[in-house]
Amino acid sequence: MGRDARGQLADRRLAAGARRPAHDPLSGEVDLRRSRLPANHRQGPGGAPAGADDRAVRRSRAPERRIIRAITDRGDLLTRTIIIAGGHGAFEPKKLPGYDMTPWEGKGAHYLVGEKAEFAGKRVVIIGGGDSACDWVLNLLGTASEITLVHRRAAFRAHEVTVNNVMQAASDGRVDVRVPYQIREVSGNGRIERITLFHSEDDSDVVELDCDAVLLQLGFKTALGPLKDWPLEVEKGSIKVDQVMKTSMEAVWAAGDITIFDGKLKLIATGFAEAAIAVAQAVHHIRPETKIQPKYSTPAGRAAATRSRTRPPA
Ligand SMILES: Cc1cc2nc3c(=O)[nH]c(=O)nc-3n(C[C@H](O)[C@H](O)[C@H](O)COP(=O)(O)OP(=O)(O)OC[C@H]3O[C@@H](n4cnc5c(N)ncnc54)[C@H](O)[C@@H]3O)c2cc1C
């Protein structure tokens, strides 16, 4: 394989990495050290570069064209540029305030329902007072053997119709509604077997329930997640960018709701515009000889259409 062909292959591989779904680079860390390949990959016979990746290694020696290794949960990606478009960040289920359920995660404590079958024939306690909690009460009616809904307040925040349906199920004896109650303790031998509740306004009022699963439906919070470990300048939980969407990290741009700058508007239209600016900058970074302003497709399209209309039949 000739040197140019190897180079093109390297470019294609790098470009393929850059085209991976945006969530990949966001779910890992970025290692900004120079890209390093195992020694036996670095040199071919006679000291000549052995493969496509060698070009990447060679280029990584020029600080302005260095390769970023984005470490993701689906393998490493080598790329020259990254555009972060993580919105408000990764969604994480909110944890229960006041009682640490972490030791019971994977042992009967759930934050999400993957398959309803997980709860088939089980005594399920659902914690929460919003739409998700009430929706899951109704959804699991035909699946779980018993359902108890526990909310720390007397009033629910869920949609009125949903709350009415839950209350109807309660008066039919299909759901046990415990309000205003909170978790005092969870116990069991390796798995959740029992839950102790206390009344929010009278903590001497205690209820013990046998159960197999606790489904915590306390909403979601957004967070920068793994991005918080990147050396990015962050302000009010968002990534600070300049007027060309450049972050404080070399070769890393950002666009959309995750960015912050003077006059920032969190709208779909502005997100698209920021993405266009970031992409133009990233392309120019990879190929400095290209213009930042992209060519318009419209005049080219019109010219082509005009040409095809005026072309005489063969
Ligand atoms: C209720 C509501 C109503 C709105 N109504 C309007 C409206 O009417 N008009 C309007 O213009 N705008 C509206 N907006 C704003 C608009 O939705 C946002 O400006 C736009 O969606 C931002 O797009 P984005 O791509 O930056 O982020 P998002 O659309 O949030 O996409 C970011 C993606 O990145 C993923 N992600 C983040 N971090 C990670 C990670 N670490 N790993 C993996 N994946 C990750 C997220 O899961 C998500 O899929 C509304 C917003 C809300 C909340």
Side-chain angles (χ1 to χ4, degrees):
M1 189 187 285
R3 186 76 204 106
D4 283 344
R6 278 200 303 270
Q8 282 166 16
L9 181 56
D11 279 345
R12 278 204 294 277
R13 291 175 63 161
L14 291 167
R19 278 200 302 270
R20 292 277 190 96
H23 62 262
D24 267 343
L26 303 188
S27 54
E29 303 162 4
V30 168
D31 183 347
L32 278 182
R33 291 169 303 177
R34 282 179 184 168
S35 169
R36 284 277 179 261
L37 292 170
N40 59 345
H41 282 193
R42 260 191 234 134
Q43 275 201 332
D53 281 330
D54 291 286
R55 180 171 152 144
V57 171
R58 185 172 62 80
R59 285 197 172 176
S60 75
R61 291 191 185 122
E64 74 282 6
R65 301 285 290 271
R66 68 184 161 190
I67 302 299
I68 300 168
R69 180 184 295 279
I71 303 162
T72 85
D73 56 1
R74 298 187 201 167
D76 292 4
L77 301 173
L78 296 181
T79 181
R80 291 196 185 103
T81 56
I82 291 179
I83 298 174
I84 303 170
H88 286 282
F91 281 83
E92 292 172 11
K94 281 188 189 162
K95 302 274 173 158
L96 189 70
Y99 186 81
D100 183 14
M101 288 294 288
T102 320
W104 297 104
E105 288 170 9
K107 296 172 184 167
H110 302 254
Y111 292 94
L112 300 166
V113 179
E115 300 278 338
K116 273 168 70 171
E118 285 176 87
F119 299 96
K122 291 191 175 163
R123 297 163 297 179
V124 182
V125 175
I126 299 177
I127 312 286
D131 279 304
S132 314
C134 292
D135 282 346
W136 278 117
V137 166
L138 300 174
N139 264 307
L140 291 177
L141 274 178
T143 306
S145 64
E146 287 175 23
I147 298 177
T148 305
L149 176 61
V150 177
H151 182 37
R152 63 183 169 158
R153 297 198 181 94
F156 289 95
R157 282 177 293 109
H159 196 277
E160 196 181 338
V161 175
T162 315
V163 175
N164 289 344
N165 289 341
V166 169
M167 291 309 162
Q168 184 60 52
S171 57
D172 294 345
R174 301 173 73 199
V175 178
D176 181 10
V177 176
R178 300 280 179 165
V179 290
Y181 279 88
Q182 300 178 47
I183 295 183
R184 169 159 295 166
E185 198 178 2
V186 176
S187 56
N189 187 12
R191 285 198 63 80
I192 292 179
E193 291 172 0
R194 195 164 304 103
I195 188 166
T196 308
L197 308 174
F198 68 94
H199 195 283
S200 294
E201 288 147 20
D202 175 9
D203 62 8
S204 65
D205 177 351
V206 171
V207 176
E208 284 212 356
L209 301 169
D210 289 335
C211 64
D212 307 302
V214 175
L215 178 56
L216 298 135
Q217 292 294 288
L218 306 165
F220 289 85
K221 62 175 182 170
T222 54
L224 281 179
L227 287 170
K228 70 179 184 316
D229 299 327
W230 295 23
L232 289 161
E233 196 178 337
V234 172
E235 189 182 305
K236 294 180 188 160
S238 300
I239 298 170
K240 224 173 160 185
V241 291
D242 65 12
Q243 72 277 16
V244 291
M245 301 302 124
K246 175 121 181 40
T247 71
S248 55
M249 278 175 78
E250 177 62 23
V252 179
W253 289 263
D257 278 9
I258 204 158
T259 67
I260 189 163
F261 53 86
D262 268 355
K264 168 75 187 179
L265 290 177
K266 297 199 176 190
L267 288 173
I268 295 165
T270 50
F272 273 123
E274 291 174 21
I277 293 169
V279 168
Q281 293 291 323
V283 169
H284 186 69
H285 175 87
I286 296 168
R287 303 193 193 292
E289 69 281 5
T290 60
K291 287 184 179 164
I292 289 178
Q293 172 67 43
K295 283 185 181 164
Y296 298 130
S297 56
T298 318
R302 275 198 197 131
T306 310
R307 269 201 307 279
S308 73
R309 275 203 303 275
T310 54
R311 190 172 296 149

